[in-house]
Amino acid sequence: MEGSFDTEESFDDPSCLAPQPPGSVSPARRRVNEVKETKTTINGVTFPLPGEGPEQQLLKPNEWSYCDYFWTDKKDPQGATSVAGFEVLLQKQLKGKQMQKEMAEFVHERTLGEAWTQLKKSLHDEAEVHLKFSNKLHSEVEKPLLTFRGDNFKKDLKKYDHHIADLRKQLASRYAGVDKARRALADRQKDLEVKTQQLEIKLSNKTEEDIKKARRKSTQAGDDLMRCVDLYNQTQSKWFEEMVTTSMELEKLEVERIEWIQQHLRQYTTLRHETDMFNQGTVEPVDRLLQTVDPAKDRELWVKENKTGDVRPVDLDI
């Protein structure tokens, strides 16, 4: 059971040695059982139960930051496995790269082809204008979209993924250690209680030395449990810090990507203005829309739709 209690008092309280009627629960165990559960552990991560503990404040209020909304694992569409909130952020980056490729292909198919067709149908001077436009479009819009964040980008994302995944594995291992130590403590307490009762009602030839030995083992088991909980909390704290740092780094990369696309689409409209002044009426609406591109608003909409949970993990108690 998760909760906190005085280990020394629970293990060495003289009342533990007092005769107990058959089937009764010792005072120490009764105090442990009566501790109200205020936390829950899901996939090795400990969270406060709803309505329990102090209210958590967002790390970056009013910014819809990645570091605030992806702490909980979420079910995949089939519901078979859980997807870590961090994995959702990684997939966002990978999908963004695919969108850039599709945009670059669109620019190539709908402008270069049109320009070369126009070359065959127009006078020499007009064809020369379109040729220059196509070349600039390729070098200043299409090529940058294709080369922005090359092959090493996926490798960098994998490093982030493996690092966070390793920390989650450590966290699960630490929690397993806590669970094992908790069961060992319960066994030692039960053994101490049985030996004490047997001694008092003369059901065995157990000596006071046996009782002292059982008490030492119970105390040692309690110390082991506290050590395991401390290791778990240290590991969870490290995972928490890395989640904040890495998710904010991914957020920064996303802002850079959107601003990069915005910059080169603006370059496209500039080239169109220079090439075809008569078609300004169709370009200006696009230009106005590009002026309204806001990475923060884009992030807000995406976070609202894809967030996994804004309740941050807390320390595990005995």
Side-chain angles (χ1 to χ4, degrees):
M1 175 178 292
E2 295 162 354
S4 61
F5 62 96
D6 190 329
T7 305
E8 182 176 353
E9 177 185 348
S10 297
F11 307 147
D12 297 332
D13 191 336
S15 63
C16 291
L17 302 179
Q20 301 291 327
S24 65
V25 179
S26 68
R29 292 198 62 181
R30 183 164 57 252
R31 281 192 294 273
V32 173
N33 292 334
E34 290 174 354
V35 173
K36 179 182 179 182
E37 292 184 349
T38 61
K39 303 174 183 179
T40 183
T41 301
I42 304 173
N43 293 338
V45 182
T46 301
F47 296 95
L49 289 173
E52 299 294 341
E55 182 179 355
Q56 294 183 350
Q57 300 298 321
L58 296 179
L59 298 175
K60 298 182 72 177
N62 303 320
E63 294 191 26
W64 292 94
S65 174
Y66 288 176
C67 70
D68 273 322
Y69 294 96
F70 294 88
W71 292 109
T72 311
D73 296 348
K74 64 183 294 187
K75 293 284 187 180
D76 67 0
Q78 287 73 35
T81 59
S82 293
V83 179
F86 185 76
E87 183 67 22
V88 176
L89 297 177
L90 285 177
Q91 291 302 317
K92 167 69 170 173
Q93 294 293 311
L94 295 174
K95 289 179 180 178
K97 185 71 175 177
Q98 177 62 28
M99 186 185 76
Q100 289 168 219
K101 180 180 178 181
E102 293 173 357
M103 291 174 66
E105 291 173 352
F106 173 83
V107 169
H108 176 78
E109 294 173 0
R110 298 299 294 275
T111 56
L112 287 178
E114 179 183 355
W116 282 108
T117 300
Q118 187 65 34
L119 277 173
K120 298 176 183 179
K121 297 178 180 179
S122 305
L123 296 174
H124 180 271
D125 291 343
E126 184 179 354
E128 189 68 24
V129 171
H130 283 279
L131 177 61
K132 290 180 179 179
F133 170 73
S134 296
N135 290 335
K136 285 187 176 182
L137 194 62
H138 173 71
S139 63
E140 298 180 22
V141 180
E142 180 186 354
K143 188 176 180 179
L145 283 171
L146 287 172
T147 58
F148 179 62
R149 292 179 182 160
D151 295 336
N152 290 333
F153 180 64
K154 285 188 177 181
K155 294 180 181 178
D156 292 338
L157 289 184
K158 285 185 177 179
K159 290 179 182 178
Y160 288 141
D161 190 18
H162 291 163
H163 181 56
I164 296 299
D166 287 343
L167 289 175
R168 279 297 293 269
K169 290 178 181 177
Q170 292 178 28
L171 192 59
S173 177
R174 295 298 189 194
Y175 184 76
V178 170
D179 194 48
K180 181 178 179 181
R182 185 182 287 118
R183 292 195 301 269
L185 174 59
D187 290 341
R188 293 302 182 186
Q189 287 179 322
K190 182 178 181 180
D191 181 61
L192 175 60
E193 182 179 347
V194 170
K195 287 181 178 179
T196 301
Q197 290 178 354
Q198 289 176 343
L199 177 65
E200 293 297 330
I201 61 178
K202 308 299 183 181
L203 291 180
S204 71
N205 58 354
K206 298 296 182 181
T207 65
E208 185 65 28
E209 185 62 31
D210 292 326
I211 300 300
K212 290 181 179 179
K213 183 177 180 180
R215 185 180 295 112
R216 285 195 299 270
K217 289 183 178 181
S218 179
T219 300
Q220 180 61 48
D223 292 340
D224 290 343
L225 175 57
M226 293 177 66
R227 178 181 59 82
C228 289
V229 169
D230 185 54
L231 288 174
Y232 170 89
N233 287 334
Q234 290 178 28
T235 302
Q236 180 167 261
S237 177
K238 182 178 180 181
W239 171 74
F240 173 87
E241 293 173 1
E242 290 298 320
M243 272 289 291
V244 171
T245 300
T246 308
S247 61
M248 291 180 67
E249 180 64 24
L250 292 179
E251 180 177 303
K252 177 183 176 183
L253 290 174
E254 182 69 2
V255 171
E256 291 175 355
R257 186 183 69 83
I258 292 176
E259 290 177 344
W260 180 268
I261 292 174
Q262 179 186 28
Q263 172 188 343
H264 287 84
L265 287 180
R266 281 178 172 169
Q267 182 64 14
Y268 168 78
T269 61
T270 298
L271 291 172
R272 284 295 304 270
H273 281 306
E274 293 173 352
T275 304
D276 190 2
M277 297 299 294
F278 297 103
N279 201 29
Q280 243 180 16
T282 61
V283 175
E284 285 178 348
V286 178
D287 209 6
R288 287 196 299 270
L289 287 174
L290 289 174
Q291 295 292 336
T292 66
V293 171
D294 183 357
K297 185 63 177 178
D298 182 84
R299 183 171 66 250
E300 176 183 346
L301 295 174
W302 185 81
V303 168
K304 284 181 177 179
E305 182 176 349
N306 296 277
K307 62 182 179 178
T308 66
D310 58 1
V311 177
R312 297 190 295 276
V314 295
D315 283 351
L316 176 69
D317 297 323
I318 298 174

